Short mmCIF file of all heavy atoms in Angstrom, two decimals:
data_model
loop_
_atom_site.label_atom_id
_atom_site.label_comp_id
_atom_site.label_asym_id
_atom_site.label_seq_id
_atom_site.Cartn_x
_atom_site.Cartn_y
_atom_site.Cartn_z
N THR A 362 0.60 19.71 9.78
CA THR A 362 -0.29 20.86 9.89
C THR A 362 0.51 22.16 9.86
O THR A 362 1.52 22.30 10.49
CB THR A 362 -1.11 20.89 11.17
OG1 THR A 362 -1.79 19.54 11.29
CG2 THR A 362 -2.19 21.94 11.19
N GLY A 363 0.02 23.20 9.09
CA GLY A 363 0.63 24.42 9.10
C GLY A 363 -0.06 25.42 8.26
O GLY A 363 -0.42 25.14 7.04
N MET A 364 -0.33 26.63 8.80
CA MET A 364 -0.93 27.77 8.00
C MET A 364 -0.10 28.07 6.81
O MET A 364 -0.55 28.51 5.74
CB MET A 364 -1.21 28.92 8.82
CG MET A 364 -0.10 29.80 9.20
SD MET A 364 1.14 29.04 10.35
CE MET A 364 0.09 28.99 11.85
N TYR A 365 1.26 27.88 6.89
CA TYR A 365 2.20 28.32 5.94
C TYR A 365 2.29 27.31 4.69
O TYR A 365 2.91 27.65 3.75
CB TYR A 365 3.56 28.36 6.57
CG TYR A 365 3.86 27.22 7.52
CD1 TYR A 365 4.11 25.91 7.13
CD2 TYR A 365 3.91 27.43 8.91
CE1 TYR A 365 4.26 24.87 7.91
CE2 TYR A 365 4.07 26.42 9.83
CZ TYR A 365 4.38 25.17 9.43
OH TYR A 365 4.55 24.16 10.31
N PHE A 366 1.54 26.29 4.72
CA PHE A 366 1.48 25.35 3.55
C PHE A 366 0.58 25.97 2.43
O PHE A 366 0.76 25.56 1.27
CB PHE A 366 0.89 23.97 3.91
CG PHE A 366 1.85 23.22 4.80
CD1 PHE A 366 1.36 22.65 5.88
CD2 PHE A 366 3.12 22.88 4.32
CE1 PHE A 366 2.22 21.84 6.70
CE2 PHE A 366 3.98 22.09 5.10
CZ PHE A 366 3.52 21.55 6.38
N LEU A 367 -0.23 26.88 2.78
CA LEU A 367 -1.24 27.35 1.75
C LEU A 367 -0.62 27.86 0.51
O LEU A 367 -1.12 27.41 -0.59
CB LEU A 367 -2.14 28.52 2.39
CG LEU A 367 -3.15 29.05 1.49
CD1 LEU A 367 -4.21 27.99 1.28
CD2 LEU A 367 -3.72 30.37 1.98
N PRO A 368 0.44 28.67 0.39
CA PRO A 368 0.97 29.10 -0.86
C PRO A 368 1.55 28.01 -1.66
O PRO A 368 1.78 28.23 -2.95
CB PRO A 368 2.09 30.10 -0.40
CG PRO A 368 1.85 30.43 1.05
CD PRO A 368 1.13 29.22 1.58
N TYR A 369 1.75 26.83 -1.11
CA TYR A 369 2.45 25.76 -1.84
C TYR A 369 1.51 24.60 -2.21
O TYR A 369 1.98 23.62 -2.76
CB TYR A 369 3.57 25.26 -0.91
CG TYR A 369 4.60 26.21 -0.50
CD1 TYR A 369 4.58 26.70 0.79
CD2 TYR A 369 5.58 26.68 -1.29
CE1 TYR A 369 5.41 27.65 1.30
CE2 TYR A 369 6.51 27.57 -0.90
CZ TYR A 369 6.43 28.13 0.45
OH TYR A 369 7.36 29.04 0.92
N ILE A 370 0.28 24.76 -1.87
CA ILE A 370 -0.69 23.61 -2.14
C ILE A 370 -0.73 23.16 -3.56
O ILE A 370 -0.68 21.96 -3.75
CB ILE A 370 -2.08 24.00 -1.65
CG1 ILE A 370 -2.20 24.18 -0.16
CG2 ILE A 370 -3.10 22.93 -2.12
CD1 ILE A 370 -1.66 22.97 0.69
N GLU A 371 -0.77 24.00 -4.51
CA GLU A 371 -0.80 23.57 -5.89
C GLU A 371 0.51 22.84 -6.21
O GLU A 371 0.42 21.91 -6.97
CB GLU A 371 -1.05 24.78 -6.82
CG GLU A 371 -2.52 25.31 -6.71
CD GLU A 371 -2.95 26.19 -7.88
OE1 GLU A 371 -2.54 27.35 -7.76
OE2 GLU A 371 -3.60 25.68 -8.80
N MET A 372 1.64 23.39 -5.76
CA MET A 372 2.89 22.66 -6.04
C MET A 372 2.85 21.21 -5.40
O MET A 372 3.33 20.31 -5.96
CB MET A 372 3.99 23.47 -5.41
CG MET A 372 4.27 24.80 -5.95
SD MET A 372 5.68 25.56 -5.26
CE MET A 372 5.38 27.25 -5.60
N ILE A 373 2.32 21.17 -4.22
CA ILE A 373 2.27 19.86 -3.54
C ILE A 373 1.35 18.90 -4.25
O ILE A 373 1.71 17.73 -4.48
CB ILE A 373 1.76 20.03 -2.00
CG1 ILE A 373 2.71 20.89 -1.29
CG2 ILE A 373 1.48 18.67 -1.40
CD1 ILE A 373 2.27 21.29 0.13
N ILE A 374 0.22 19.35 -4.70
CA ILE A 374 -0.67 18.54 -5.47
C ILE A 374 -0.01 18.05 -6.77
O ILE A 374 -0.17 16.92 -7.19
CB ILE A 374 -1.99 19.30 -5.78
CG1 ILE A 374 -2.82 19.49 -4.46
CG2 ILE A 374 -2.86 18.49 -6.79
CD1 ILE A 374 -4.06 20.33 -4.72
N ASN A 375 0.68 18.96 -7.46
CA ASN A 375 1.37 18.51 -8.73
C ASN A 375 2.45 17.51 -8.45
O ASN A 375 2.73 16.61 -9.39
CB ASN A 375 2.01 19.74 -9.28
CG ASN A 375 0.92 20.72 -9.93
OD1 ASN A 375 -0.11 20.23 -10.33
ND2 ASN A 375 1.27 21.99 -9.99
#
Side-chain angles (χ1 to χ4, degrees):
T362 305
M364 75 291 291
Y365 40 71
F366 289 127
L367 184 70
Y369 306 101
I370 292 303
E371 291 195 277
M372 296 182 201
I373 293 172
I374 291 174
N375 287 333

